[in-house]
Amino acid sequence: MTDAPTTPRAATIPDKPSIDGLEDTWSQVWREQGTYAFDRASAHERGRGAVFSVDTPPPTASGSLHMGHVFSYTHTDCMARYKRMAGFEVFYPIGWDDNGLPTEKRVQNYYGVRGDATLPYVEGFEPPHRGDAKSLKAADAQPISRQNFIELCDELTVKDEEAFESLFRRMGFSLDWDISYRTIDDHSRATAQQAFLRNLARGEAYQSEAPGLWDVTFQTAVAQAELEARDYPGAYHRVAFHGADGPIHIETTRPELIPSVVALIAHPDDERYAALFGTTVTSPLFGVEVPVVAHHAAEPDKGAGIAMCCTFGDLTDVMWWRELQLPTRSIITRSGRIQADVPEWVAAGPGAALFAEQVAGRTTFGAREAIVAALRASGDLDGEPKATQRKANFYERGEKPLEIVTSRQWYIRNGGRDRELNAELVERGREVDFHPAFMRARYENWVSGLNGDWLVSRQRFFGVPIPVWFPLDDAGDPLYDKPLVPSEDELPVDPAAQAPSGYDESQRGEPGGFVGDPDIMDTWATSSLTPQIAGRWRDDPELFADVFPMDVRPQAHDIIRTWLFSTVVRSHLEFGSVPWRHAALSGWILDPDRKKMSKSKGNVVTPEDVVKEHSADAVRYWAASGRLGADAAYDTGQMKVGRRLAIKVLNASKFALSFGEAEPAVTDGGEVEGNLSAAVTNPLDVAMLAELRDVVAKATAGFEAWDHTRALETTETFFWTFCDDYLELVKDRAYGGQGEEAAASARAALRIALDVVLRLLAPFLPYVTEEVWSWWHEGSVHRSAWPTVEELTAGEGGDAAVLGAVGEALAGVRKAKSEAKVGMRAEVASLVLAGPGQWVARVKQAEADLRAAGRITATPTYAEAETPEVRDAELIPVEKPKA
């Protein structure tokens, strides 16, 4: 890290500087020179306080990136670049999240296949499609073995990641590409399995046969964090249960679950049903006897005020079943259909034939039709169904409502069933500085509202396998309470393809042998370990100690409940600490209709073409204009402003450097800025640098407050004033129009200001600032020191308001010429500059520059006024030369 600006050299300026082509040129230079490489030796020597480590989000490798990625990754990159220039060793890794359902869906659609664990592996398998299937139904997908499917997942994710890397490099993200990982690579799998085994050893991971949310389309369990409540059409059916004193009517949207009813439940204070508590009733059609019980979660003002509890229709049923210790009578299978066999509790009743002939094996929709018809025929349906819109739980990526089925799954304790752990995790959240601060409430609300532990097993193929086997007893049944686990040095393992220690493959599935756990981990179970994966927790404890806890987790606000919380859980359980000190939450990108851009909605814009059209710096400018936590509109107009800014940096820099070496010359052992500062004597130059001191202080404060937008706005505002006013005002003097000493002051001030402004803009516009820096500096602007107020000694004690006052006067002169419809080169024979006394005094300090810039040929007359204005300007138009 350079501690001060690098020594300027003689400027080499292109004849026609352009922003076109800068991405290709400088991204190659940065790659070859390792400009953004993390200096591990220096970091270790300097200590943890000298390191700024980023828990970079690994984008999901399942198709194409979108503008949301560009938006949020730019925010992080601006901060990483600032910290690097501020003297920190920046640990800025990149990973790719390539396992899980999104990848499997993409592979199925791209290759036209689906995994089938019962099929054998085919050597050299060639899929039926390679991205050329226009419309492929799930039923038409070719079934292939688990291992063949995994190979295709691996092949396609590598291809996607190459395209992602190309875009990220083009965007100028200052990632260290030597610190990279894939969430499915050997190191990540071993890390995830090691963490899981330690959770298991401490009793934090456990398996349970319990009701859980199930997606029948994707055939996998779903965690609470992945739920999405959506409106779903349904109908209320008023149905009669039979009590000793007559019918008891309930209202339900799911009459097909009547065969699974285990109780009727009303509120304990509901007088209508008080006499029924402790008695039993029988279900319509099936004659199953069920109790009537009380529970505070029953809603007296909803429907009939009494509800049937089935196992299981919704999460309320699960709560009642658990808290009231009701029996389990589950009839919905993992396929989403009713079980094929007549349940034992129905078999002896009047509805056995109905179930066998019209319900068994049918979809829930088909079973509902059959049961409603039977209820109508028996007279147990009171009136006709009434259409309604009900809220149903969906998997966030699914298209059908979730069912609740009983299955054996793995869980990690997360405070959903442990109030003490819950309180600890809430407190952990308070140790993290959220940016913006109000996002902490989202974290706390989520944690406080948990009602179950974290379901981490998934019934999929492409992911990190659960590293567990089970011994089989003499009958061939798994002994789930005696799991077989590998040692940590054996990891990673795949229980579906490897035998546990002490067994061989011939014993798989045989009595007295073993069976591997068939499931993989939820993708968040791996992603929750990104600090451990990137920091090499498993195999490099020295590096891990240098970067952990990390300094920042940047991410979108909508995955606080998943990625952010799950990472806190794993860090708390393993290390007893938070995983990072700061959480920087980006907003969403909105389309013109103010809707979130997402691939699922089909309203995304592909970033590659946008970057090519506007330039990376321009797109970064748009992204950096959005504050943390705030949603932003996709705005090409803002990108055009950014492109204009980048072009102006080139042109203004060319002018500022066009005068040759600034005087006095650099002396041996002297500080460049100190020598240039000695040449700055003109009040306007001193004032400009005084204003720049304020800009440096404000921009620095913006970054330190995690407000990169304030830093950009402050710098950009100054830059345009610098270009529109200062450059115009000093042009004549810089060319020598007022003598050599006056010229030396202007030239020195121009170089000092340009040096500082380039460094202020570098985090936002990395390409154009690097290009200009190379014209007159050795090394990279991105490895130079962040500017400080202390280095701008030439502006110390100056009146920063002078530039604004003189600029205002110049604007008044321009306005007078414009209103008179004469060109800007028209001479001003006389004028009155009126304004408050202090304003007049400031203008007088730079009168010579004002006269030169405004082509004022006579000494201005000054007058007092409440507000600044130009009066009585006598203009002499410049005659156009004759043709």
Side-chain angles (χ1 to χ4, degrees):
M1 171 59 64
T2 306
D3 294 326
T6 54
T7 302
R9 54 180 170 79
T12 304
I13 308 171
D15 291 335
K16 295 181 179 180
S18 170
I19 64 172
D20 296 329
L22 294 184
E23 291 97 343
D24 292 334
T25 298
W26 287 110
S27 60
Q28 183 66 24
V29 170
W30 295 334
R31 183 187 301 205
E32 292 172 355
Q33 297 184 355
T35 303
Y36 307 120
F38 174 67
D39 189 336
R40 176 174 176 177
S42 173
H44 188 66
E45 180 181 348
R46 295 172 64 194
R48 179 65 185 86
V51 174
F52 181 78
S53 52
V54 183
D55 185 15
T56 317
T60 301
S62 58
S64 61
L65 294 168
H66 52 77
M67 292 306 295
H69 291 102
V70 169
F71 183 67
S72 58
Y73 281 80
T74 298
H75 295 170
T76 308
D77 190 60
C78 290
M79 179 60 76
R81 287 180 176 277
Y82 163 73
K83 290 291 185 179
R84 192 178 290 112
M85 296 176 73
F88 289 86
E89 295 295 346
V90 175
F91 182 80
Y92 193 10
I94 180 63
W96 308 108
D97 192 6
D98 40 20
N99 66 56
L101 181 59
T103 297
E104 291 196 22
K105 285 179 63 179
R106 174 157 162 73
V107 167
Q108 289 167 356
N109 294 331
Y110 188 86
Y111 293 112
V113 298
R114 59 181 174 84
D116 186 337
T118 66
L119 296 178
Y121 175 71
V122 176
E123 190 76 35
F125 172 74
E126 182 61 30
H129 298 282
R130 287 188 175 273
D132 55 354
K134 294 182 179 179
S135 179
L136 185 71
K137 296 180 180 179
D140 297 331
Q142 179 179 339
I144 61 175
S145 74
R146 172 181 181 272
Q147 192 55 40
N148 285 126
F149 188 82
I150 290 173
E151 287 179 357
L152 291 178
C153 289
D154 199 55
E155 175 185 290
L156 189 57
T157 53
V158 169
K159 184 183 299 184
D160 286 341
E161 286 156 15
E162 289 173 353
F164 289 10
E165 178 177 340
S166 175
L167 175 65
F168 274 32
R169 286 187 182 274
R170 191 173 187 87
M171 281 299 301
F173 297 149
S174 59
L175 299 152
D176 185 342
W177 292 94
D178 290 331
I179 311 174
S180 63
Y181 63 86
R182 303 173 65 217
T183 56
I184 200 62
D185 65 27
D186 284 352
H187 171 67
S188 296
R189 286 188 291 125
T191 302
Q193 289 182 337
Q194 177 170 313
F196 177 85
L197 290 175
R198 292 192 178 186
N199 292 139
L200 181 61
R202 292 191 296 261
E204 297 152 359
Y206 65 93
Q207 54 178 330
S208 176
E209 180 84 25
L213 293 160
W214 186 267
D215 189 287
V216 298
T217 302
F218 298 115
Q219 287 292 290
T220 187
V222 175
Q224 183 181 353
E226 298 168 312
L227 295 185
E228 193 174 279
R230 303 180 199 164
D231 287 328
Y232 191 72
Y236 277 118
H237 304 76
R238 184 174 168 84
V239 177
F241 278 68
H242 304 291
D245 297 323
I248 298 94
H249 289 95
I250 60 97
E251 291 188 14
T252 180
T253 59
R254 303 205 62 181
E256 73 276 15
L257 293 180
I258 289 175
S260 67
V261 67
V262 292
L264 294 189
I265 300 177
H267 195 277
D269 297 332
D270 193 332
E271 296 180 355
R272 292 173 296 176
Y273 304 108
L276 290 175
F277 294 145
T279 69
T280 61
V281 296
T282 56
S283 61
L285 302 180
F286 301 98
V288 177
E289 189 172 340
V290 297
V292 180
V293 295
H295 194 280
H296 65 275
E299 301 176 84
D301 57 349
K302 183 177 180 181
I306 189 168
M308 67 174 185
C309 175
C310 303
T311 50
F312 297 90
D314 57 25
L315 292 174
T316 303
D317 284 344
V318 176
M319 176 187 65
W320 283 336
W321 166 82
R322 182 178 292 120
E323 294 185 7
L324 297 172
Q325 298 184 330
L326 298 170
T328 302
R329 293 173 181 164
S330 182
I331 61 171
I332 296 181
T333 64
R334 292 187 177 193
S335 67
R337 293 177 176 269
I338 307 299
Q339 67 182 55
D341 299 328
V342 178
E344 59 180 281
W345 60 91
V346 170
L354 170 66
F355 191 98
E357 296 168 9
Q358 300 185 47
V359 177
R362 302 190 70 173
T363 65
T364 54
F365 180 79
R368 184 180 309 150
E369 286 189 326
I371 286 182
V372 169
L375 289 170
R376 188 179 288 114
S378 69
D380 291 320
L381 181 67
D382 184 7
E384 285 301 305
K386 296 179 180 178
T388 184
Q389 284 285 107
R390 65 185 179 93
K391 285 290 183 183
N393 285 316
F394 285 74
Y395 174 42
E396 58 188 0
R397 300 180 184 276
E399 298 175 357
K400 294 182 179 180
L402 295 172
E403 295 292 353
I404 297 177
V405 301
T406 300
S407 59
R408 181 170 293 279
Q409 304 288 345
W410 285 97
Y411 299 84
I412 290 179
R413 302 187 193 281
N414 68 352
R417 296 181 180 176
D418 182 335
R419 289 298 94 189
E420 183 178 347
L421 177 57
N422 190 281
E424 291 173 359
L425 292 170
V426 169
E427 196 57 39
R428 283 285 178 229
R430 293 170 183 168
E431 295 177 34
V432 177
D433 286 333
F434 283 76
H435 307 284
F438 69 81
M439 289 291 181
R440 177 182 284 109
R442 297 193 184 186
Y443 172 88
E444 293 190 359
N445 290 340
W446 171 256
V447 179
S448 300
L450 287 170
N451 56 27
D453 283 331
W454 176 13
L455 172 68
V456 295
S457 51
R458 292 292 183 274
Q459 291 65 52
R460 306 298 301 169
F461 293 110
F462 194 55
V464 178
I466 303 286
V468 170
W469 300 264
F470 301 103
L472 300 179
D473 63 16
D474 293 340
D477 294 325
L479 300 173
Y480 290 115
D481 59 341
K482 297 179 180 179
L484 304 170
V485 298
S487 62
E488 290 186 358
D489 59 4
E490 293 179 82
L491 304 176
V493 298
D494 182 357
Q498 297 170 241
S501 178
Y503 294 82
D504 59 50
E505 274 299 319
S506 66
Q507 295 172 281
R508 184 182 294 273
E510 298 295 324
F514 72 93
V515 63
D517 193 303
D519 293 344
I520 63 170
M521 294 185 197
D522 164 27
T523 185
W524 298 115
T526 306
S527 298
S528 62
L529 300 168
T530 49
Q532 290 92 311
I533 293 171
R536 310 295 297 193
W537 162 65
R538 171 175 159 81
D539 56 9
D540 196 340
E542 184 179 274
L543 172 64
F544 191 64
D546 288 339
V547 302
F548 186 87
M550 291 190 162
D551 289 278
V552 61
R553 153 63 67 80
Q555 63 165 74
H557 59 74
D558 57 323
I559 51 175
I560 289 174
R561 72 188 193 281
T562 49
W563 191 32
L564 190 148
F565 175 57
S566 63
T567 311
V568 172
V569 170
R570 303 305 285 280
S571 181
H572 174 75
L573 296 177
E574 186 64 42
F575 308 111
S577 75
V578 291
W580 1 258
R581 299 178 176 90
H582 300 270
L585 291 311
S586 294
W588 288 336
I589 300 304
L590 308 178
D591 67 12
D593 295 326
R594 304 298 295 176
K595 295 179 180 178
K596 177 191 175 185
M597 277 191 172
S598 67
K599 286 186 281 189
S600 63
K601 289 186 171 71
N603 61 351
V604 298
V605 176
T606 304
E608 290 85 349
D609 295 336
V610 177
V611 174
K612 289 177 183 177
E613 179 180 357
H614 298 285
S615 82
D617 280 347
V619 175
R620 288 175 64 100
Y621 172 85
W622 159 75
S625 299
R627 283 186 163 81
L628 288 175
D631 296 340
Y634 173 72
D635 186 359
T636 56
Q638 189 82 338
M639 295 175 198
K640 291 176 182 177
V641 173
R643 183 178 177 87
R644 187 165 69 93
L645 174 63
I647 293 171
K648 192 66 173 181
V649 169
L650 290 176
N651 295 333
S653 300
K654 182 177 181 180
F655 170 77
L657 297 172
S658 64
F659 304 103
E661 285 296 324
E663 298 294 340
V666 178
T667 59
D668 291 340
E671 291 186 0
V672 175
E673 294 300 328
N675 286 300
L676 287 179
S677 296
V680 179
T681 56
N682 185 278
L684 181 61
D685 303 333
V686 173
M688 182 272 292
L689 294 177
E691 185 172 342
L692 185 53
R693 283 168 61 93
D694 291 341
V695 171
V696 168
K698 291 176 181 177
T700 304
F703 271 117
E704 290 298 319
W706 295 82
D707 190 350
H708 57 267
T709 307
R710 174 156 50 115
L712 173 59
E713 290 173 346
T714 301
T715 303
E716 183 187 8
T717 299
F718 171 84
F719 178 73
W720 285 114
T721 300
F722 176 80
C723 295
D724 295 343
D725 294 339
Y726 181 75
L727 294 186
E728 293 299 317
L729 287 164
V730 301
K731 188 179 294 184
D732 175 75
R733 180 157 52 88
Y735 279 118
Q738 298 176 36
E740 285 306 311
E741 182 178 343
S745 178
R747 295 170 184 175
L750 284 169
R751 288 208 167 203
I752 292 171
L754 180 61
D755 188 290
V756 170
V757 168
L758 288 176
R759 285 180 282 150
L760 290 173
L761 287 173
F764 311 103
L765 311 176
Y767 287 108
V768 72
T769 53
E770 187 77 301
E771 171 69 10
V772 174
W773 192 262
S774 73
W775 295 350
W776 62 313
H777 279 292
E778 301 290 347
S780 170
V781 67
H782 305 299
R783 281 290 183 175
S784 63
W786 182 254
T788 64
V789 170
E790 290 73 24
E791 73 183 66
L792 287 165
T793 55
E796 191 172 0
D799 183 356
V802 168
L803 176 58
V806 183
E808 206 168 18
L810 179 61
V813 173
R814 290 168 173 165
K815 180 181 178 182
K817 292 181 180 181
S818 178
E819 290 177 347
K821 297 183 179 179
V822 298
M824 290 298 118
R825 295 183 59 80
E827 294 182 352
V828 182
S830 65
L831 82 165
V832 176
L833 296 174
Q838 193 174 29
W839 182 84
V840 169
R842 285 169 174 153
V843 172
K844 287 182 177 179
Q845 292 185 53
E847 182 182 295
D849 288 330
L850 175 62
R851 291 180 62 182
R855 300 180 67 83
I856 303 170
T857 58
T859 301
T861 299
Y862 295 94
E864 286 280 342
E866 289 187 7
T867 57
E869 61 177 325
V870 173
R871 301 174 185 166
D872 305 328
E874 182 183 347
L875 307 175
I876 303 175
V878 176
E879 292 185 10
K880 295 181 180 180
K882 295 181 180 179

